[in-house]
Amino acid sequence: MQLFHDVANQIKCQPLIDWKALNRPVVGYTCSQVPAEIFHAAGILPIRMRGIETDGMDIGDAYYGPFICSFPKCLLQLVGKGAYKFIDGAVITPGCDAMRRLDECWRKAGEDYDGIIPGFFYYFDVPHKAEGHGMEWFVEEIEYLIAEIEDYFKVTITDENLRAAILEYNKGRRLLSEIESMRTSETPVVSGSDMFAATIAGTVMPRAQYNEELTQWMASLSQSPPMENVRKRIMLIGSITDDPDLIRLIETDTDAMVVAENLCFGVRSEGRPVDEDADPISALAEHYLGESTCPRMYGRYKQRLAVLKEKIEQSHVDGVIMQNIRFCDLHGAENALFEKDLEAEGIPCLRLEREYGPMIDKGRLKLRINAFLERLGRGRKYASSN
């Protein structure tokens, strides 16, 4: 478990250092809708790019301006400072307009900062609809990506390679699902911050090593006693976050625990297996686009609300904390709709706006979270036996 926390709290972690020491390539990507199995099939380590460890914003502000989400600005800041010079390639996706602009801002910054654009620099388009033409388009985008990887890295990605990669990734997904059930049960044995650190680590570590660590962790959890003092069960949703400290803020010095979340670095993306019997490219497309519950996808609000309600019911959630990064229009707008619909059904909600990165407004957030937990104490929907 300590390895997961080490990986979750630093960019250049030990598994990455070990991988690079063997002269193996690494490619960074920026969105959960990029099929990591493609890189695994090519012998490349895919890592989800993160903006942690940012200690300033001079580069991000210079190319983006001040009025935009701080997550892509933190990524650009780290890129400009050379923190990602170890990657051999980068894949940019239009998760939102701010993330789409990372492609052009990174290219422009490359004119001013030497060596920050990796040799393989690719824009991977992702449709906003999964039906009909949108799915056909996404399949083509995956085929184009495979062709570009094969050409640049001089590798061959066969259907057999892809199927083997899908099996390896699905092994981790099934392990995570089993561990997730130990968190959502009425007597949880794993904390929200530990679970979140484990899912983040899955976006960075070599998959075989990750699966081995998960297997050992699950074995130890099966022998663990239920956690004590879990009286308020919380669900965390909203904007991109890859910082376990946000969950620790909810769980530390309180009787609350994050028993469920709906975040793109969490089990939302990692908890479901890819179809192992279908054509591998079609199966990857269906998994990464067809099952997406990100608010960037058009016309799926009712589906996303239904997913939340199902998780709330299954996890016996007492209250939902909705956070969004400042200027994140997608989650800011959708959180307001979720709040209205969930509160109407008697599910208490708290909306928080914050900045991505170091928790500079930790005191303000803690004050509002504690006030919300006090509200839950006065009338929780689900009564815990602990």
Side-chain angles (χ1 to χ4, degrees):
M1 187 63 236
Q2 185 55 47
L3 178 60
F4 291 154
H5 280 284
D6 291 343
V7 172
N9 287 298
Q10 54 187 327
I11 290 175
K12 204 165 183 180
C13 53
Q14 193 59 47
L16 259 177
I17 295 171
D18 295 341
W19 181 274
K20 290 294 291 184
L22 298 174
N23 291 319
R24 294 173 173 173
V26 175
V27 169
Y29 61 97
T30 60
C31 176
S32 60
Q33 290 184 295
V34 176
E37 288 90 339
I38 294 173
F39 300 95
H40 183 90
I44 299 167
L45 177 61
I47 63 164
R48 182 94 182 262
M49 296 185 69
R50 307 168 59 204
I52 60 170
E53 302 177 355
T54 309
D55 59 3
M57 202 59 85
D58 53 313
I59 298 174
D61 278 341
Y63 293 90
Y64 265 112
F67 304 112
I68 199 163
C69 167
S70 44
F71 176 67
K73 289 204 300 184
C74 284
L75 289 183
L76 187 63
Q77 179 74 22
L78 291 177
V79 166
K81 292 290 186 182
Y84 278 106
K85 280 191 174 181
F86 66 89
I87 62 174
D88 302 280
V91 177
I92 311 297
T93 54
C96 61
D97 192 54
M99 291 304 294
R100 179 197 61 77
R101 286 186 57 202
L102 182 61
D103 178 81
E104 58 203 50
C105 289
W106 191 335
R107 292 178 190 273
K108 186 62 179 174
E111 298 175 7
D112 302 320
Y113 296 89
D114 291 337
I116 65 168
I117 298 182
F120 182 77
F121 195 81
Y122 190 81
Y123 183 81
F124 180 66
D125 213 351
V126 180
H128 290 274
K129 289 187 174 181
E131 299 79 11
H133 173 67
M135 186 58 73
E136 294 174 10
W137 174 6
F138 194 55
V139 168
E140 287 184 358
E141 287 294 333
I142 292 176
E143 291 171 341
Y144 291 150
L145 176 60
I146 289 174
E148 291 294 325
I149 292 171
E150 289 181 323
D151 181 59
Y152 181 82
F153 290 100
K154 309 303 179 191
V155 296
T156 301
I157 302 174
T158 65
D159 284 356
E160 185 179 6
N161 296 146
L162 284 174
R163 287 195 179 93
I166 289 171
L167 289 174
E168 189 72 33
Y169 271 72
N170 277 352
K171 181 178 179 181
R173 292 183 175 111
R174 293 189 175 100
L175 287 166
L176 275 178
S177 292
E178 290 188 49
I179 297 171
E180 170 73 349
S181 67
M182 298 179 182
R183 170 172 74 153
T184 59
S185 77
E186 294 189 48
T187 53
V189 298
V190 56
S191 71
S193 57
D194 282 352
M195 188 71 204
F196 197 50
T199 56
I200 292 171
T203 67
V204 177
M205 293 174 64
R207 200 64 178 189
Q209 181 184 10
Y210 180 62
N211 289 346
E212 180 61 30
E213 290 290 332
L214 278 182
T215 301
Q216 294 178 17
W217 186 37
M218 191 169 73
S220 67
L221 287 175
S222 65
Q223 305 298 319
S224 301
M227 301 190 68
E228 298 179 349
N229 197 32
V230 179
R231 301 188 61 80
K232 295 164 186 171
R233 301 168 64 92
I234 302 299
M235 182 176 190
L236 180 66
I237 68 170
S239 292
I240 188 169
T241 180
D242 54 8
D243 188 355
D245 280 348
L246 180 59
I247 293 181
R248 288 194 197 99
L249 200 63
I250 299 169
E251 296 182 334
T252 302
D253 299 327
T254 71
D255 55 358
M257 193 184 112
V258 176
V259 296
E261 36 83 1
N262 193 28
L263 303 166
C264 73
F265 266 96
V267 292
R268 182 179 80 188
S269 302
E270 284 292 318
R272 298 169 284 103
V274 177
D275 188 343
E276 298 172 357
D277 299 320
D279 167 74
I281 292 179
S282 298
L284 290 172
E286 181 60 38
H287 178 82
Y288 283 93
L289 185 71
E291 297 186 22
S292 175
T293 55
C294 176
R296 73 174 296 278
M297 300 300 290
Y298 289 157
R300 291 192 167 195
Y301 173 74
K302 290 183 179 178
Q303 178 185 344
R304 293 190 286 272
L305 180 62
V307 168
L308 286 189
K309 288 180 178 177
E310 182 180 2
K311 282 192 173 186
I312 288 169
E313 188 71 27
Q314 290 177 345
S315 306
H316 310 291
V317 167
D318 295 309
V320 180
I321 295 179
M322 308 169 172
Q323 52 81 33
N324 70 272
I325 301 172
R326 197 161 296 154
F327 302 118
C328 176
D329 295 335
L330 291 175
H331 284 285
E334 188 140 293
N335 282 352
L337 296 174
F338 282 150
E339 181 184 34
K340 176 179 71 69
D341 287 333
L342 294 179
E343 288 273 6
E345 297 192 17
I347 302 168
C349 299
L350 170 67
R351 289 173 59 196
L352 295 173
E353 188 175 69
R354 66 184 184 87
E355 290 287 5
Y356 174 86
M359 300 196 69
I360 53 177
D361 53 358
K362 181 178 177 180
R364 177 184 67 85
L365 293 176
K366 185 65 174 172
L367 187 66
R368 294 202 59 200
I369 289 168
N370 284 352
F372 178 64
L373 295 179
E374 285 186 20
R375 174 191 170 193
L376 295 185
R378 292 195 296 269
R380 293 184 298 132
K381 184 174 182 179
Y382 296 102
S384 170
S385 58
N386 293 326

